[in-house]
Every structure is written in structure tokens, then in C-alpha cells.
Amino acid sequence: MSSALEELQKDLEEVKVLLEKATRKRVRDALTAEKSKIEIEMKNKMQQKSQRKAELTENEKPAAVVAPITTGYTVKISNYGWDQSDKFVKIYITLPGVHQVPAESVQVNFTERSFDLLVKNLNGKSYSMIVNNLLKPISVEGSSKKVKTDTVLILCRKKAENTRWDYLTQVEKECKEKEKPSYDTETDPSEGLMNVLKKIYEDGDDDMKRTINKAWVESREKQAKGDTDF
């Protein structure tokens, strides 16, 4: 279908042909007036077309780049609680407002001996927690997360059910065992005291050893006399 501008162009060409053939002044004046009218109309059409083209070009320009919503810095989660059932080890992380963020913003990845949690864009920050070297293996497929009011609950499915975890991680176990005293407090108290004195004696300098030896001798002498008051 021809455009209006093309139709006007054809009209103009035909008027020009008629002008060349016309001999009567009245006819020539009428054709000249019509020619001017068509030329003006064509000029207006061309201006409108140029204007529309300019507007389309403007609209096709890329929109202003909008800066993505930043999530600020990432906060390492260090406070949590945990307990267990026969089948699961449960880790509780308190994060106010976490139940209001989109579900896809709370991500947990599991391996057989670890898990990591990432909460994105919660009150302008991200929160992460990585726990490696779990005390015992877990089932990746059977583990999951739940988001509750102000809380993320991580459920680690025990590979060996009905087994008790005394610690959450192997590192925690090793640290706690190092903190335990080297003597057995469940044995006879006198044996416990002997072990303590023995350790102090072994670790002490010469003065400390002399002091312990002196106290030991005096204690034995008093016991021999039946005087046990100190």
C-alpha cells in the first residue's frame, strides 16, 4: 500500500505534466495553485515523518543504567545453637526478618561433612555461615533447611541414625578434649591430687620442685605423728 507521501508525489508529477500541456491562463493558474498546495502538503508530511523518526530514535536509546541493589557487606554468622534427634542434627540461626526475604535469597549447600548458608539482601546485608569438618558424615540428599520467623533451621540428616553427636564438628571435639585435665577426676580424690602435684612438679622449675618436695616431706611427717591438721 502506497504511503500518503507517495500519493502526493504522484499527484505533483501529474500536475506538472498538465502544466506543460496547458495553454489557457485560467487552467495554468489553477494547476499552479494546486502544485503549490501539493508541495506544501508534501513538505509538512516530510517534516512529520522526520519528527516521528527522531522520536523513535530517542525511544530506542538505552535506558539510563540503574545501579543494582547492593547488599552491602557480608556478615559472618558465629552465633548459633544446635541439638539433635535420632535422625537429624539441627542448627538454629537467629536472623531477625529472615522470613520476609524471598525464598531464593536463603541458600544452603551440603556436602557429606560440611554445609554453608548464605542469606542475601537481608536489611541491606548478606549473612554467611560455613561449617566444615562435621563430627560425622551426613546425607546430602536427606538434609534441608526451613525458614521460620526470624530463624533459619538447618537439618543435617545423620548417615548413621540413632548415634549421638557429642560435638558439632571435629575441630570442636579436639579443642574440648585438649581443655580436659590430664588426670581422671572420677578416680579417688587422693589419686587426682597426686596426679596434679606430679604434673606441677614435672612442669615446674627447680624452686617449684623444692617447694613441692618440702611440702610433701612435711605432710608425710605430720601424718606419721597422727597430726593431720594443716
Side-chain angles (χ1 to χ4, degrees):
M1 185 180 292
S2 300
S3 67
L5 194 57
E6 289 173 343
E7 291 298 321
L8 287 171
Q9 182 66 39
K10 290 177 181 178
D11 290 346
L12 180 61
E13 290 171 357
E14 189 165 335
V15 168
K16 287 180 179 179
V17 171
L18 291 172
L19 262 172
E20 290 174 0
K21 294 181 179 180
T23 56
R24 303 287 294 176
K25 184 179 183 301
R26 186 174 176 180
V27 174
R28 286 183 65 83
D29 289 344
L31 289 170
T32 301
E34 185 63 20
K35 176 175 173 287
S36 297
K37 182 180 176 182
I38 293 171
E39 287 174 341
I40 291 170
E41 192 171 349
M42 285 180 68
K43 185 178 180 182
N44 290 337
K45 291 284 185 184
M46 290 178 72
Q47 287 177 344
Q48 291 173 4
K49 187 176 180 180
S50 297
Q51 186 175 353
R52 282 199 300 272
K53 187 175 180 181
E55 290 173 354
L56 286 171
T57 303
E58 186 69 23
N59 291 335
E60 287 171 1
K61 287 182 179 179
V65 177
V66 179
I69 298 173
T70 58
T71 56
Y73 57 92
T74 300
V75 179
K76 299 291 184 184
I77 299 169
S78 56
N79 293 325
Y80 61 89
W82 72 281
D83 64 14
Q84 61 187 303
S85 64
D86 290 340
K87 295 181 178 180
F88 290 95
V89 172
K90 307 171 188 178
I91 298 92
Y92 301 86
I93 300 102
T94 301
L95 291 172
V98 70
H99 57 288
Q100 296 175 336
V101 303
E104 60 270 17
S105 292
V106 182
Q107 303 170 357
V108 182
N109 296 310
F110 297 95
T111 72
E112 192 175 70
R113 295 295 288 268
S114 72
F115 69 84
D116 62 87
L117 164 70
L118 177 62
V119 180
K120 295 187 288 187
N121 198 23
L122 173 59
N123 300 323
K125 302 174 187 175
S126 291
Y127 293 82
S128 71
M129 176 181 180
I130 300 174
V131 176
N132 294 314
N133 299 313
L134 290 170
L135 185 68
K136 298 177 182 180
I138 63 173
S139 166
V140 175
E141 296 79 12
S143 299
S144 61
K145 73 170 190 305
K146 290 183 180 179
V147 178
K148 301 186 175 184
T149 303
D150 298 333
T151 302
V152 178
L153 170 60
I154 297 176
L155 298 163
C156 296
R157 180 70 179 253
K158 295 178 179 178
K159 265 204 167 180
E161 296 181 5
N162 301 311
T163 56
R164 178 175 175 77
W165 289 31
D166 292 323
Y167 307 97
L168 183 60
T169 66
Q170 190 68 32
V171 174
E172 184 182 350
K173 177 186 177 184
E174 291 173 1
C175 289
K176 293 291 185 182
E177 288 182 348
K178 284 180 181 177
E179 292 173 3
K180 285 183 179 179
S182 59
Y183 55 88
D184 187 354
T185 56
E186 294 180 359
T187 58
D188 188 325
S190 63
E191 290 183 15
L193 177 59
M194 285 294 295
N195 285 330
V196 171
L197 290 172
K198 183 179 178 182
K199 182 170 179 57
I200 294 173
Y201 185 86
E202 289 174 350
D203 295 342
D205 56 17
D206 290 342
D207 288 340
M208 179 62 71
K209 288 178 180 178
R210 281 195 292 272
T211 301
I212 291 175
N213 282 331
K214 182 180 179 182
W216 177 254
V217 171
E218 289 177 354
S219 174
R220 298 298 292 179
E221 288 176 351
K222 286 183 179 180
Q223 287 181 17
K225 294 177 181 177
D227 182 4
T228 57
D229 292 331
F230 289 90

